[in-house]
Amino acid sequence: MGIENLELLTLQQIWWIIVSLLGALFVLMMFIQGGQTLFNTLSSNETEKSMLVNSMGRKWELGFTTLVLFGGALFAAFPLFYATSFGGAYWVWMAILFCFVLQAVSYEFRLKKNNFLGQKSYEMFLYINGSVGVFLIGVALSTLFSGSGFMLDDNNFSHWISPYRGLEALSNPFNFLLGFALLFLAKLGGAFYFMSSVESDEITKKALASIKVNTILFLLFFLAFLGWILTKDGFAIDANGVIFMQEYKYLRNFIELPILLVMLVVGVVMVLLTLSVTLKKEKMCCIKIGAFGVVFSVMSILLSVGLNSTAFYPSTYDLQSSLTIMKSSGSHYTLSVMSYAALMVPFVLAYIVYAWRSLDKSKITQEEINKDKHGY
């Protein structure tokens, strides 16, 4: 049976799974942003800093590409969500985009001769991208649980109620939990990557110290976030398509869809195992296990907000305007064609893995940086 013969609801669910996977991969790739916040912390001189910058400079395009894939999949599969969120909450999304533009510019111009802003300014831009950008992404994703102030008219045109256009999410302190959790997770990922890609005992020693601090901060905010979503009322859909508030909705989703609970528990255990073994042995260990753990955990959380009759983009102004995967998706034809195109994704991922391994065949050394006149 071909993809085009699948029911529309099945295609909608498949594409929410794909979007959740891309979102999880993007969160994993934010180790690049996290690493950018550690340039000054882990380096003792300009040579060491250049080693760190070049380590991330060779990978930053992959993170940006993953973000584009994530946004593109949302746009193609769930266009009403894209129009409502990116069109309505545009100030917060513009702030995020601006942070990523700063990243691209900074890597290219940091060491350019006669740049009028100077090296330190571009390094500050990279820090802003790695801290403010990641935090705002966490706040934006958190609104999938807390809701946003918008409404849909009879023609499905969205109207944003707040004049702050998405920045009002910062007025809800619960949204900060995911923002800070992602920030410290990104810092952990950055420290791990530096240990694997840079040849320096001093940097490794400082990276381990960074991991100790950021592990505590990450667990504090991540567990608080989990506690919040698992105990709060959620936005459920009844058999008639009416949206209502249901007690412990997201906890119910994990219980009623056991695969999500297994993914979450296994993912968290894998991350904790990687952190504990690394700190115990005082050297990088189980980094691949930790990476898969991040993907499993984030993917399970994203799946829980869209599946099992749940409104994944809730409206706090007009409950019935809340978006579901059924209401916001593209047509059956669009999703079918996209599904065939998605069959090429494994080949693209295989190429990325190949390119990644080619770039990481050997660690960055001081000698390499001193000889490279075209580095970042």
Side-chain angles (χ1 to χ4, degrees):
M1 183 176 67
I3 294 176
E4 66 275 6
N5 294 321
L6 295 176
E7 294 183 356
L8 178 58
L9 178 59
T10 301
L11 288 171
Q12 292 164 339
Q13 292 171 336
I14 289 173
W15 272 97
W16 186 254
I17 293 173
I18 293 174
V19 166
S20 297
L21 174 59
L22 291 175
L25 290 174
F26 173 59
V27 170
L28 175 65
M29 292 301 298
M30 283 198 292
F31 77 85
I32 299 171
Q33 276 68 39
Q36 291 168 183
T37 67
L38 300 175
F39 288 158
N40 290 322
T41 304
L42 304 188
S43 62
S44 302
N45 51 58
E46 286 301 316
T47 299
E48 289 184 350
K49 183 185 294 184
S50 292
M51 292 169 67
L52 299 176
V53 173
N54 277 268
S55 176
M56 288 304 175
R58 299 173 184 181
K59 294 292 191 300
W60 76 265
E61 295 100 330
L62 297 178
F64 197 91
T65 300
T66 309
L67 173 61
V68 172
L69 282 173
F70 179 49
L74 280 172
F75 169 71
F78 304 100
L80 185 56
F81 164 75
Y82 192 91
T84 302
S85 181
F86 290 79
Y90 60 77
W91 281 127
V92 69
W93 288 116
M94 286 297 291
I96 292 171
L97 179 60
F98 179 72
C99 288
F100 276 82
V101 170
L102 287 179
Q103 179 193 42
V105 171
S106 298
Y107 277 116
E108 294 301 322
F109 289 94
R110 172 177 172 267
L111 295 182
K112 291 290 185 182
K113 292 183 178 180
N114 302 320
N115 72 73
F116 72 98
L117 291 178
Q119 176 181 330
K120 297 296 182 182
S121 296
Y122 290 112
E123 291 172 0
M124 177 58 67
F125 292 162
L126 289 173
Y127 185 88
I128 291 172
N129 170 254
S131 54
V132 178
V134 172
F135 175 76
L136 289 178
I137 288 173
V139 170
L141 290 177
S142 190
T143 60
L144 300 181
F145 296 92
S146 62
S148 301
F150 66 91
M151 64 170 294
L152 300 178
D153 60 24
D154 294 337
N155 296 314
N156 268 349
F157 290 130
S158 61
H159 302 275
W160 209 262
I161 306 305
S162 170
Y164 299 106
R165 293 290 184 168
L167 293 177
E168 70 277 359
L170 294 171
S171 65
N172 185 346
F174 287 109
N175 291 336
F176 286 27
L177 297 176
L178 184 57
F180 283 119
L182 288 187
L183 174 59
F184 294 117
L185 177 63
K187 285 175 175 284
L188 288 171
F192 269 97
Y193 185 71
F194 285 140
M195 293 171 65
S196 69
S197 64
V198 176
E199 187 69 52
S200 170
D201 293 337
E202 187 65 24
I203 289 177
T204 297
K205 181 180 178 180
K206 291 181 178 180
L208 283 169
S210 170
I211 289 173
K212 292 179 181 179
V213 175
N214 289 313
T215 293
I216 296 173
L217 294 172
F218 164 68
L219 290 176
L220 176 66
F221 285 103
F222 180 69
L223 293 177
F225 169 74
L226 280 183
W228 171 54
I229 65 172
L230 294 179
T231 56
K232 75 182 298 292
D233 295 346
F235 301 80
I237 313 164
D238 68 15
N240 298 316
V242 177
I243 298 169
F244 66 100
M245 300 302 298
Q246 185 177 41
E247 192 176 26
Y248 301 113
K249 172 57 179 171
Y250 304 107
L251 176 60
R252 292 171 185 264
N253 285 353
F254 281 104
I255 295 175
E256 294 170 5
L257 298 174
I259 183 63
L260 301 188
L261 182 59
V262 171
M263 288 176 62
L264 178 62
V265 173
V266 170
V268 171
V269 170
M270 292 171 76
V271 172
L272 293 178
L273 177 65
T274 300
L275 293 171
S276 61
V277 173
T278 296
L279 292 176
K280 183 178 181 179
K281 293 186 175 182
E282 295 188 347
K283 64 178 182 179
M284 185 194 68
C285 184
C286 316
I287 189 171
K288 292 181 180 179
I289 293 177
F292 279 108
V294 170
V295 173
F296 289 160
S297 302
V298 176
M299 188 175 178
S300 68
I301 292 172
L302 292 176
L303 288 173
S304 73
V305 82
L307 302 180
N308 200 38
S309 299
T310 309
F312 74 91
Y313 198 55
S315 170
T316 55
Y317 181 81
D318 176 26
L319 201 58
Q320 301 313 311
S321 291
S322 301
L323 300 185
T324 67
I325 62 172
M326 292 78 74
K327 181 192 294 185
S328 61
S329 78
S331 66
H332 187 281
Y333 175 78
T334 299
L335 296 181
S336 297
V337 173
M338 287 173 53
S339 297
Y340 279 111
L343 295 176
M344 297 297 296
V345 170
F347 297 99
V348 176
L349 292 177
Y351 173 76
I352 291 175
V353 171
Y354 171 78
W356 185 290
R357 290 182 175 179
S358 298
L359 290 172
D360 281 352
K361 280 185 177 179
S362 59
K363 291 186 176 183
I364 294 178
T365 63
Q366 291 191 18
E367 292 77 11
E368 178 185 351
I369 293 299
N370 291 331
K371 291 179 181 179
D372 187 3
K373 303 303 181 182
H374 303 285
Y376 292 102

